Amino acid sequence: MSQTKQVKQLDRVIIRFAGDSGDGMQLTGDRFTQESAVFGNDLVTLPNFPAEIRAPQGTIPGVSSFQVHFADHDILTAGDRPDVLVAMNPAALKANLGDLPKGATIIVDTHDFTKRNLDKAGYSSNPLDKLGEVDDLLAGFQVQPVDLTGITVEAVKDFGLSRKDAARAKNMFALGLLSWMYGRPTESTIEFLTKKFGKKPDILGANIAAFKAGWNYGETTETFVVQYEIKPAKMPAGTYRNITGNLALSYGLVAAGVRSGLPVFLGSYPITPASDILHELSRHKGFGVTTFQAEDEIAGIGSALGAAFAGQLAVTTTSGPGIALKSETIGLAVMTELPLVIVNVQRGGPSTGLPTKTEQSDLLQAMYGRNGEAPVPIVAPQSPGDCFAAAVEAARIAVTYRTPVFLLSDGYLANGSEPWSIPSIDELPAIDPDFATEKNHVSAKSADGEPDEYWPYQRDAETLARPWAIPGTAGLEHRIGGLEKAGTTEVGHGNISSDPANHDAMVRLRAAKVAAIADSLPPLEVDDPSGSAKVLVVGWGSTYGPIGAACRRVRRAGYDVAQVHLRHINPFPKDLGEILKRYDKVLVPEMNLGQLSRLLRAEYLVDAIGYNHVYGLPLKAAELADAIGALVGEAEGIAVDLGEHGTAPADHETASEEATR
């Protein structure tokens, strides 16, 4: 008979599951996320795993974690400091303890706190043996030691598994326990396990038994006397699903193919953290998608550019090191003026760097990383779900303006997830490839004054785009290649040209074509509720969430601040310069050493101030709020005290980090 449990209402919770890279923390976190999505909470996730394929077991470099922030209101980030840590071993405890606020709950699997594992984690003694003592390392936290492994092994003993295999189900026990603590629906997890292990009855049975045992443990034990309730969030009407950035980006490319009527071709070489896009697009042959896993990065983009020449919506995906290898072919795409979407899912660098960590350090590479004057438009999504719309936009620009386009995502967006409102296909912009089908130039030989030649470098007056003729179209044969062409507005025949004046004109024309894209961009949306702010925070890409959360903190503390976020970085929106002039101070937070701030300084002569952290992790909202507050104080000549809305300690159960109300 279960005891009466107290139910406590919360508006949001941040939970981090952490363990060895073989403990299934990513799966556990993902399942908890799906349960929360089904329940209707707003949520944001942060998976974090080792760079090594198989890091040494039980060591701090081998710790894998998954953080989920879910709430009954609109939130923007995965949260700065977890309210709950589930630690599967000493290394997981030590690696994550510094991120916890005092009062946070720590659920620890006591089974793996052996002398060997404690030594690997750098503990001289077992911190669990000193709970409540003078030298308690965990003083100030609500520590719940539970033999997760031992209870799991006992719960699944009827399925005939070895002890090692039985112990692997401990992540499902932890998931069951946390699902009970926070009232998560369990049906979706049971369905998931049934689908995943349906052909392995013993494994299926053990995982379901462990999951239910975790739930029952919370329901019946005296250790956990409080359940927490987080109500569903009020979201705009629509059909939602939980989605990661890489999945949303893949769907966006498929949708762009549908809206343009073009078959999608992906030429790619696997690389973390972009490989999921290749995997996902390979499943959509029914939508006319062709995927080619090339032998290397150069072959991947070469095949994509060939597909563009052949009249397909061409895409290549990679991360920063791959962009370095693709740069020559990107220059060829600029010279030939062919549509090509280049997806760079940025990661920590340089070289191999931090393959599983996030960074924004490839902006200048995208802007300038080619020989010659080779301008390429740049589009950047701001959240996992926004990767869908950004992919459609990149395809629109590429096809409309006959140019390669950079789509700069990053590891945080790629692997993180959020609820996404599924759009109607009719809501998406139409993309018209407008293929050339007829001759377009009247030569001196024309007998009737009708076009009798095809000139591939004549220009559309509005977009400056050249015509796109599919090879094999009778009468539209033309030259193409990496040598400069005679392609100015007066001479568009495309023959190879070494004429100095022509080259100067072509360089300027290609730059003008990219600049003309700004004419098609909507006005920027400036978030300045009071209209009295003197400080503007400018961001791009995945910093949208931390910047938005930080601005909310500053406003709740009683101060004014404005925010604007850039999707288009090359060209900049036409109204950006005027917006920057309205404010006394401009702050540019980035996960690099100041790349956008350099571009803004150069373009607009504005004293852009950088806020730069390159930790391989998203920016923290509370720390950024402190920086914004200091700048507000400087701009307004006042003393600014953010109190609990900055990095000052706050009650971890009641502080609504990003509440909009």
Side-chain angles (χ1 to χ4, degrees), residues 251-275:
Y251 287 174
L253 293 171
V254 174
V258 171
R259 293 301 281 166
S260 64
L262 299 175
V264 177
F265 178 91
L266 173 66
S268 181
Y269 181 75
I271 183 172
T272 301
S275 300

Side-chain angles (χ1 to χ4, degrees), residues 451-470:
D452 59 339
E453 293 182 351
Y454 172 67
W455 280 20
Y457 282 87
Q458 286 194 350
R459 304 281 164 179
D460 179 276
E462 183 177 344
T463 64
L464 299 181
R466 76 174 187 85
W468 189 12
I470 298 177

Side-chain angles (χ1 to χ4, degrees), residues 88-353:
M88 293 295 193
N89 61 18
L93 177 64
K94 189 164 192 177
N96 293 284
L97 190 62
D99 290 339
L100 303 181
K102 289 299 181 181
T105 298
I106 303 175
I107 300 173
V108 184
D109 183 4
T110 59
H111 181 271
D112 278 351
F113 275 68
T114 62
K115 176 68 167 63
R116 185 180 180 209
N117 283 338
L118 288 164
D119 289 344
K120 285 183 181 180
Y123 281 116
S124 57
S125 60
N126 189 344
L128 301 182
D129 292 340
K130 298 185 177 183
L131 296 178
E133 298 183 7
V134 176
D135 55 348
D136 183 1
L137 294 175
L138 303 178
F141 300 107
Q142 300 179 43
V143 183
Q144 303 286 3
V146 181
D147 185 4
L148 297 177
T149 302
I151 300 174
T152 299
V153 170
E154 181 66 22
V156 305
K157 64 182 181 180
D158 294 340
F159 295 94
L161 301 178
S162 67
R163 181 176 176 84
K164 181 178 180 181
D165 286 341
R168 286 176 176 166
K170 65 183 179 182
N171 65 327
M172 286 297 106
F173 183 94
L175 177 60
L177 174 58
L178 270 294
S179 297
W180 172 84
M181 285 180 66
Y182 293 97
R184 304 293 89 187
T186 60
E187 295 81 4
S188 62
T189 294
I190 300 296
E191 292 173 4
F192 168 82
L193 292 172
T194 302
K195 184 176 181 180
K196 184 176 179 65
F197 299 115
K199 296 181 180 179
K200 300 177 181 178
D202 52 346
I203 302 295
L204 171 61
N207 275 278
I208 291 178
F211 179 66
K212 291 182 175 178
W215 177 280
N216 293 333
Y217 183 82
E219 181 72 18
T220 60
T221 184
E222 295 182 2
T223 304
F224 297 93
V225 296
V226 181
Q227 261 187 312
Y228 300 95
E229 183 180 36
I230 298 90
K231 293 180 179 178
K234 294 180 180 178
M235 310 282 278
T239 302
Y240 288 83
R241 60 157 295 164
N242 190 50
I243 201 165
T244 65
N246 274 348
L247 183 57
L249 200 155
S250 301
Y251 287 174
L253 293 171
V254 174
V258 171
R259 293 301 281 166
S260 64
L262 299 175
V264 177
F265 178 91
L266 173 66
S268 181
Y269 181 75
I271 183 172
T272 301
S275 300
D276 289 341
I277 302 170
L278 170 61
H279 301 158
E280 181 61 34
L281 286 179
S282 68
R283 300 172 179 160
H284 296 290
K285 297 179 179 66
F287 284 101
V289 178
T290 300
T291 52
F292 170 55
Q293 181 174 321
E295 65 268 29
D296 56 38
E297 296 281 6
I298 299 171
I301 190 172
S303 65
L305 187 58
F309 178 58
Q312 301 193 28
L313 179 55
V315 185
T316 190
T317 53
T318 188
S319 190
I323 293 295
L325 292 166
K326 296 178 188 291
S327 61
E328 182 179 8
T329 308
I330 297 172
L332 178 58
V334 173
M335 173 60 74
T336 54
E337 300 186 53
L338 287 170
L340 176 64
V341 176
I342 307 149
V343 179
N344 179 358
V345 186
Q346 300 165 95
R347 70 189 204 187
S351 188
T352 307

